[in-house]
Amino acid sequence: VRALWTMRRSLEAPLDVPRYPPGITVRTFRVGSDEDAWLALNREAFASHPEQGAWTMEDLTLREREPWFDPDGFFLAERSGGLAGFHWTKVHEARPGGPAPSQAAIGEVYVVGVDPAERGTGLGRALTLEGLRHLASRGLPEVMLYVDEDNTPAIRLYESLGFRHWDTDVMFGHPGAAGTPGAG
């Protein structure tokens, strides 16, 4: 019923400088003051997404309490004082127990969202580059992300930035189960 791609990119490869559309300014997330505006934009940007578009204040507050949460890696684009887009990064710390690449620290493009009125302006690309440059500045060798297999525009953007398909997680539905396509 759903296929989720993992994509990866080296952070040792060169990264372009973000080029923002005219009128856009960028800053980092301010805990305690940006939550409501971010939730509203997240709902708009992901109106048709089954999970992301339904985030609540509780969901956001839980993430802010996670040890990986870093407002310095959570970028907000503004236009005329309102939010126009965002890129929230995440760092998965190294796991002890071996030298395998999968156990090394890795950055993540946690979520990128753009106001529907800003789509096609290059804002998503610029914000993604902003976050990638931030993760590279932390000395991380690689970055990963998750994207729905049917989100062709996002996949094209990520491929143009040097990401490659790494793995696919597939969610299967049981015939006849509630919510499964084709079920009773």
Side-chain angles (χ1 to χ4, degrees), residues 20-43:
Y20 288 97
I24 293 290
T25 58
V26 178
R27 65 176 176 83
T28 55
F29 188 84
R30 291 187 286 249
V31 175
S33 64
D34 286 327
E35 287 82 356
D36 288 332
W38 181 83
L39 284 166
L41 178 56
N42 187 64
R43 277 190 296 277

Side-chain angles (χ1 to χ4, degrees), residues 99-120:
S102 63
Q103 294 179 332
I106 188 169
E108 181 180 343
V109 173
Y110 187 54
V111 62
V112 176
V114 174
D115 184 315
E118 296 283 346
R119 290 191 181 139

Side-chain angles (χ1 to χ4, degrees), residues 14 37 47-48 51 60 63 66 69 78 95 103 112 116 119 121 125 131 133 135-136 138 144 147 156 163 173 179:
S48 63
E51 296 96 20
L60 180 54
R63 293 336 182 270
E66 290 287 339
F69 178 76
E78 294 181 314
R95 292 179 295 173
Q103 294 179 332
V112 176
R119 290 191 181 139
T121 65
R125 179 183 192 81
R133 293 171 67 86
L135 294 168
R138 301 221 19 214
M144 52 87 63
V147 62
R156 284 188 185 138
F163 283 87

Side-chain angles (χ1 to χ4, degrees), residues 60-153:
L60 180 54
T61 301
L62 288 171
R63 293 336 182 270
E64 288 176 341
R65 292 183 188 143
E66 290 287 339
W68 56 261
F69 178 76
D70 178 10
D72 290 337
F74 193 162
F75 300 93
L76 303 179
E78 294 181 314
R79 180 184 297 283
S80 303
L83 290 187
F86 59 88
H87 180 184
W88 187 352
T89 68
K90 181 177 181 178
V91 175
H92 300 268
E93 298 299 334
R95 292 179 295 173
S102 63
Q103 294 179 332
I106 188 169
E108 181 180 343
V109 173
Y110 187 54
V111 62
V112 176
V114 174
D115 184 315
E118 296 283 346
R119 290 191 181 139
T121 65
L123 181 56
R125 179 183 192 81
L127 281 165
T128 303
L129 283 165
E130 190 80 42
L132 294 177
R133 293 171 67 86
H134 167 75
L135 294 168
S137 76
R138 301 221 19 214
L140 296 164
E142 193 173 27
V143 62
M144 52 87 63
L145 59 83
Y146 296 100
V147 62
D148 282 301
E149 180 181 61
D150 63 357
N151 190 344
T152 304

